Amino acid sequence: TTHAATHTATYSATHTATHTGLWRQYPLWYRILTFPVRKLYLRTPEEAAVGVVYTLASPDMENVSGKFVSDGREIAFSGKASDTVLATNLWVACSVLIQRLQQNQPPLQHVQ
């Protein structure tokens, strides 16, 4: 269990490497140059949605928490993602930054 999982309930779903219409913001020469790679290696929006919808709606996923899931399959955390000391330090640092922002203070001070 991660530090955040012991303090919060978080639900997040995302797709990865999807060939969407967002590429139209890039210059034409770049879109032409990258099209073969995008067409071969990126998912269509429909393909990406299948994994997201499965993760969010499947009864198989009902009691899954604090896990990485890709296309309905649990995938292992990296070593750093499993480090509870690192997670605690990150949690504390983020909490301090959020407090400072809520108090209209600069989030970081420069150390000389």
Side-chain angles (χ1 to χ4, degrees), residues 88-109:
T88 300
N89 291 342
L90 179 60
W91 183 268
V92 170
C94 289
S95 297
V96 168
L97 289 172
I98 290 167
Q99 280 182 326
R100 292 183 63 81
L101 288 170
Q102 288 173 336
Q103 296 167 355
N104 292 322
Q105 297 176 355
L108 301 173
Q109 295 179 352

Side-chain angles (χ1 to χ4, degrees), residues 9-29:
T10 303
Y11 303 93
S12 178
T14 186
H15 57 83
T16 57
T18 305
H19 180 51
T20 66
L22 295 175
W23 289 91
R24 67 179 166 257
Q25 70 180 333
Y26 291 96
L28 180 61
W29 69 265

Side-chain angles (χ1 to χ4, degrees), residues 17-96:
T18 305
H19 180 51
T20 66
L22 295 175
W23 289 91
R24 67 179 166 257
Q25 70 180 333
Y26 291 96
L28 180 61
W29 69 265
Y30 186 80
R31 288 182 284 162
I32 292 169
L33 183 68
T34 61
F35 182 79
V37 172
R38 290 185 285 125
K39 186 69 174 166
L40 287 172
Y41 296 105
L42 299 183
R43 298 173 179 209
T44 66
E46 293 80 10
E47 291 168 335
V50 169
V52 173
V53 171
Y54 176 83
T55 302
L56 294 173
S58 172
D60 296 340
M61 305 304 289
E62 190 171 314
N63 295 315
V64 175
S65 176
K67 306 289 182 190
F68 289 128
V69 177
S70 178
D71 295 330
R73 295 183 313 271
E74 184 180 331
I75 56 175
F77 292 140
S78 69
K80 287 188 177 183
S82 302
D83 184 333
T84 57
V85 172
L86 186 60
T88 300
N89 291 342
L90 179 60
W91 183 268
V92 170
C94 289
S95 297
V96 168

